[in-house]
Amino acid sequence: MKLIRFGAVGSEQPGVQLEDGTIIDVSGFGTDYNEEFFGNDGIGKLKAWLKDNQDSCPTVADDVRLGVPLTRPSKIVCVGLNYAQHAAEAGMDIPKEPVLFFKSTTALVGPNDDVIIPKNSEKSDWEVELAIVIGKKASYVEEADAFDHIAGYVLHNDVSERAFQIEKSGQWCKGKGCDTFAPVGPFIATTDEIKDPNNLNLWLKINGEMMQNSSTSDFIFNVQHVVSHISQFMTLLPGDIISTGTPFGVGLGLTPPTYLKPGDVMELGIEGLGVSKQSVKAYKK
């Protein structure tokens, strides 16, 4: 299934995108896509409910806004430098184990919402990433069991302010958690939709120009390694997001470095996970 949420900011309703692209309203199922849903076999229960109720679900208009395809999770855990060529363009060594940082949940926005350049920003950048949605509480999980704890996968633009991230003292989270810096969606594809998350094409364009075009087959640490590794240090709850890193082609790595400016348009996609598009706007009080 493809899980989506639609409607005005703060009033989103759960929906499902059908194979032909039609979106149906499944609010009659009775629960949003939250921790309880993912942790109590909500996907299986929703599939069963749709067998009897799909024909009576209202159709959603094509022009309705898409929101973040799940409610605010307990955390967004990100993996840095998870593609060898990206580590090289960033001038950093290939890590011996996953580099972890957090992204603020208040950074979450819908897949086609505007991205706002933060106050005092000099170096806002783009990063297309495959994100994992946790479906089952995970603590000290073995790699062999990691896929049992995954509900699905989703497209994520890990927008990053490089001056905040690298040039200020402290941790990377300063440059990662700004408002609107986590466009997610358009939909969560359940695991049966994605045969091999470790071999997916992913790409990103700025103003129509291809900047990133790679494959998750270039992961340094694959999906099951990342889930297992993170679970050794913290409990992952249903609905939590893990973002798995970005390939080469970010603005930081260009010669000269190039960063986002008001009026730019980012378009990005991952095989099987759809496409999102964000316009870049200047910060205003």
Side-chain angles (χ1 to χ4, degrees):
M1 281 195 303
K2 297 180 175 70
L3 307 178
I4 67 102
R5 294 171 73 244
F6 64 92
V9 176
S11 301
E12 293 90 347
Q13 298 292 323
V16 169
Q17 181 174 309
L18 304 179
E19 289 302 313
D20 64 0
T22 302
I23 295 172
I24 58 172
D25 181 344
V26 299
S27 54
F29 176 65
T31 184
D32 207 341
Y33 301 144
N34 52 25
E35 181 180 338
E36 180 182 1
F37 172 86
F38 290 110
N40 288 282
D41 190 30
I43 291 172
K45 292 174 181 176
L46 178 57
K47 283 182 180 178
W49 183 84
L50 283 169
K51 288 180 181 178
D52 296 326
N53 295 280
Q54 179 172 318
D55 291 345
S56 62
C57 291
T59 299
V60 178
D62 292 339
D63 60 352
V64 170
R65 171 188 174 269
L66 296 182
V68 182
L70 75 172
T71 63
R72 186 177 293 176
S74 80
K75 52 189 169 292
I76 305 171
V77 190
C78 300
V79 182
L81 307 175
N82 200 22
Y83 293 76
Q85 291 183 72
H86 175 54
E89 73 175 350
M92 299 179 184
D93 294 334
I94 293 175
K96 294 181 173 58
E97 63 180 62
V99 174
L100 304 181
F101 62 90
F102 288 101
K103 199 170 180 85
S104 173
T105 59
T106 53
L108 286 166
V109 289
N112 303 311
D113 290 345
D114 293 339
V115 164
I116 309 300
I117 294 178
K119 185 178 180 180
N120 300 319
S121 168
E122 301 171 354
K123 300 177 180 179
S124 290
D125 203 348
W126 56 85
E127 295 191 7
V128 59
E129 303 202 5
L130 171 70
I132 302 161
V133 178
I134 295 297
K136 178 182 175 184
K137 185 177 177 181
S139 179
Y140 300 111
V141 172
E142 298 294 329
E143 278 193 45
D145 300 322
F147 286 117
D148 295 337
H149 294 265
I150 296 174
Y153 304 93
V154 67
L155 172 63
H156 174 217
N157 188 355
D158 177 21
V159 186
S160 308
E161 212 299 341
R162 303 301 187 190
F164 296 178
Q165 176 191 356
I166 299 170
E167 298 170 23
K168 291 184 178 293
S169 61
Q171 299 182 340
W172 286 8
C173 58
K174 290 180 180 178
K176 295 287 189 171
C178 306
D179 290 352
T180 75
F181 268 26
V184 170
F187 53 77
I188 296 167
T190 53
T191 53
D192 57 305
E193 298 256 347
I194 304 297
K195 303 219 179 296
D196 184 3
N198 296 310
N199 188 23
L200 299 174
N201 173 248
L202 69 171
W203 56 271
L204 182 144
K205 297 178 182 179
I206 301 293
N207 303 325
E209 180 181 356
M210 188 71 76
M211 307 303 293
Q212 296 183 278
N213 190 6
S214 188
S215 170
T216 60
S217 62
D218 288 334
F219 277 150
I220 298 170
F221 306 106
N222 63 20
V223 163
Q224 56 268 42
H225 183 103
V226 162
V227 171
S228 173
H229 180 81
I230 294 171
S231 78
Q232 307 307 308
F233 303 99
M234 68 193 77
T235 295
L236 295 165
L237 296 177
D240 281 354
I241 294 172
I242 299 173
S243 204
T244 59
T246 198
F248 71 96
V250 300
L252 173 68
L254 299 177
T255 305
T258 303
Y259 298 108
L260 295 169
K261 61 185 183 304
D264 285 344
V265 176
M266 296 179 282
E267 187 175 9
L268 56 151
I270 298 180
E271 180 182 350
L273 296 177
V275 173
S276 69
K277 187 175 184 179
Q278 301 97 40
S279 296
V280 178
K281 301 289 179 67
Y283 171 82
K284 292 182 181 178
K285 289 185 179 180

